[in-house]
Amino acid sequence: MSPRRIAVVGASAAGLAAAEALRRFGWTGTLTLVGDEPHPPYDRPPLSKQLLQGAWEPGKLHLRAADQLDALGLDLRLGTRAAALDTATRTLTLAGGERLACDGVIVATGVAARTLPEAAGLDGVHTLRTLEDALALKARLSGTGRRLVVVGNGVLGCEAAAVARELGHEVTLVGREPLPMARTVGAEIGELLAAEHRARGVRLRTAAVGGFEADGDGPVRHVTAVRLADGTRLPADTVLVAIGSEPAVGWLRGDPALDTTDGLRCDAYCAAAPGVYAAGDVARWQHPVHGRELRVEHRMNATEQGMAAARNLLAELAETLPDGGNGALAPAAGRERRPFTPVPYFWSDQYALKIQAYGVLTGADRTAATVVDREARKAVALYGHGGQATGVLAIGLPPRQVRGLRALIATPAPWDEACEGVRAAVA
């Protein structure tokens, strides 16, 4: 009998959580963890904050120490890209041509940063997704007097703009939306964030980018300005393109059994096909409580979904592998698949602002915002869809109040009832 194997593709927070859960829940067979970066699993949220600020060194981002990874007994394949997956035979093909026969696969490949084709080959134009990206931008901002243009005023763009401004650089934040993070948080909270950025000296522009200007005639050309679609020229020696991301599913598109539209489509158990599960930013799954498909690019979801995918995969294998896979799957009582029904959570740090949100904010058809203290930038907002409250956001509130707000949307409540709960919580 061939050795039993589960492969986790993506040495990310979700991938590591899945690998640890597989061992904890009883998998004793071969456990392969594949990562296309050369680094052991590391945390991404600090890339745009503590690392970019210079408060942390790269080693502090590691999610586990070397001895903790060793204890998992991993077949660790770092700096290795997955090239294809055949779900019919559960065969994983690596970029070098090696084919791995698997009993189960967990896809945790995350997302890749979107870019602008006009920026190709220009020195000084950056994205911010990987450790290398962050270190390159950090080095660029290590001097003084940089003129930084941030293209994209979502969460990542706003965080990076805040850090660069605190480092003393000139910063212009450009977005298609008229207010920072408005697509996610709505107009009133967006106004509050805009006021904070302006008060800190960040220039805000609403426009599409028309192109870039650069000097030099050789193979290396240095960015000198960003041209907006309305003809405005923004001088810049450094540009950060933060216009969102694309799920890393290109390597899966050769398998007709998989739906890779906006991530890897899964059922409520995080299963994309028999024996194939997904977790983290790449997974688009059916959330039973909200009654719709979600794809959540938040750090806490990555860990929670990695554990859920591992548990459900092992529950499936317990029913399909004869004799527990010849001992590869230790016996466990009460092993059954469970729907993944989290309360999504995300946070963002911008200057002294602590922004925290629970539930689902996107797709809201109504929003109710209460500015508790405009000067102190304290606010709370409720988001709803179809007559129910689905998400809540707080800025500058103490942890006790924030936890109380979470309880209001853990199970979507009628809109009016949740509004009363918010008023009581911040009274």
Side-chain angles (χ1 to χ4, degrees), residues 251-403:
W251 64 285
L252 295 169
R253 291 195 173 117
D255 191 309
L258 300 176
D259 181 347
T260 56
T261 306
D262 186 29
L264 180 56
R265 186 171 185 261
C266 303
D267 63 15
Y269 302 93
C270 307
V276 178
Y277 289 71
D281 298 0
V282 74
R284 174 169 57 93
W285 89 102
Q286 182 69 28
H287 195 298
V289 174
H290 290 283
R292 54 178 164 141
E293 291 181 343
L294 299 179
R295 190 173 66 80
V296 178
E297 295 186 29
H298 302 324
R299 173 65 178 82
M300 293 300 295
N301 184 76
T303 297
E304 293 174 354
Q305 198 165 23
M307 292 189 289
R311 182 184 61 243
N312 288 337
L313 171 59
L314 292 185
E316 178 184 331
L317 294 182
E319 296 182 354
T320 58
L321 290 181
D323 300 323
N326 196 28
L329 181 56
R335 182 173 270 147
E336 61 180 13
R337 297 202 311 161
R338 299 179 215 158
F340 181 54
T341 59
V343 179
Y345 169 76
F346 87 86
W347 77 94
S348 176
D349 297 316
Q350 298 172 34
Y351 310 108
L353 299 184
K354 183 74 172 184
I355 305 164
Q356 299 180 79
Y358 287 100
V360 179
L361 279 57
T362 55
D365 55 25
R366 60 172 67 183
T367 304
T370 300
V371 178
V372 179
D373 186 332
R374 189 169 296 278
E375 287 192 8
R377 310 280 194 249
K378 292 184 178 181
V380 62
L382 188 68
Y383 303 82
H385 180 82
Q388 293 182 314
T390 59
V392 65
L393 176 145
I395 300 178
L397 299 187
R400 177 184 58 81
Q401 285 184 309
V402 176
R403 287 193 295 271

Side-chain angles (χ1 to χ4, degrees), residues 30-87:
T30 300
L31 181 52
T32 300
L33 180 61
V34 179
D36 61 355
E37 295 185 59
H39 314 288
Y42 63 88
D43 216 7
R44 293 189 192 275
L47 296 179
S48 60
K49 297 183 276 287
Q50 292 93 335
L51 186 77
L52 197 58
Q53 288 169 336
W56 286 14
E57 292 299 319
K60 193 168 181 179
L61 273 64
H62 291 168
L63 291 170
R64 298 292 181 270
D67 60 336
Q68 293 173 309
L69 288 178
D70 290 343
L72 294 173
L74 298 174
D75 170 28
L76 189 58
R77 310 291 189 95
L78 297 177
T80 303
R81 186 171 55 84
L85 176 63
D86 182 340
T87 58

Side-chain angles (χ1 to χ4, degrees), residues 120-124 212-223:
L122 292 184
D123 180 60
F212 299 89
E213 296 179 10
D215 62 12
D217 297 323
V220 179
R221 301 175 65 232
H222 306 275
V223 68

Side-chain angles (χ1 to χ4, degrees), residues 1-6 27 29-30 101-103 325-326 328:
M1 181 179 293
S2 62
R4 295 298 187 180
R5 180 194 306 270
I6 291 177
W27 183 255
T30 300
C102 303
D103 293 294
N326 196 28

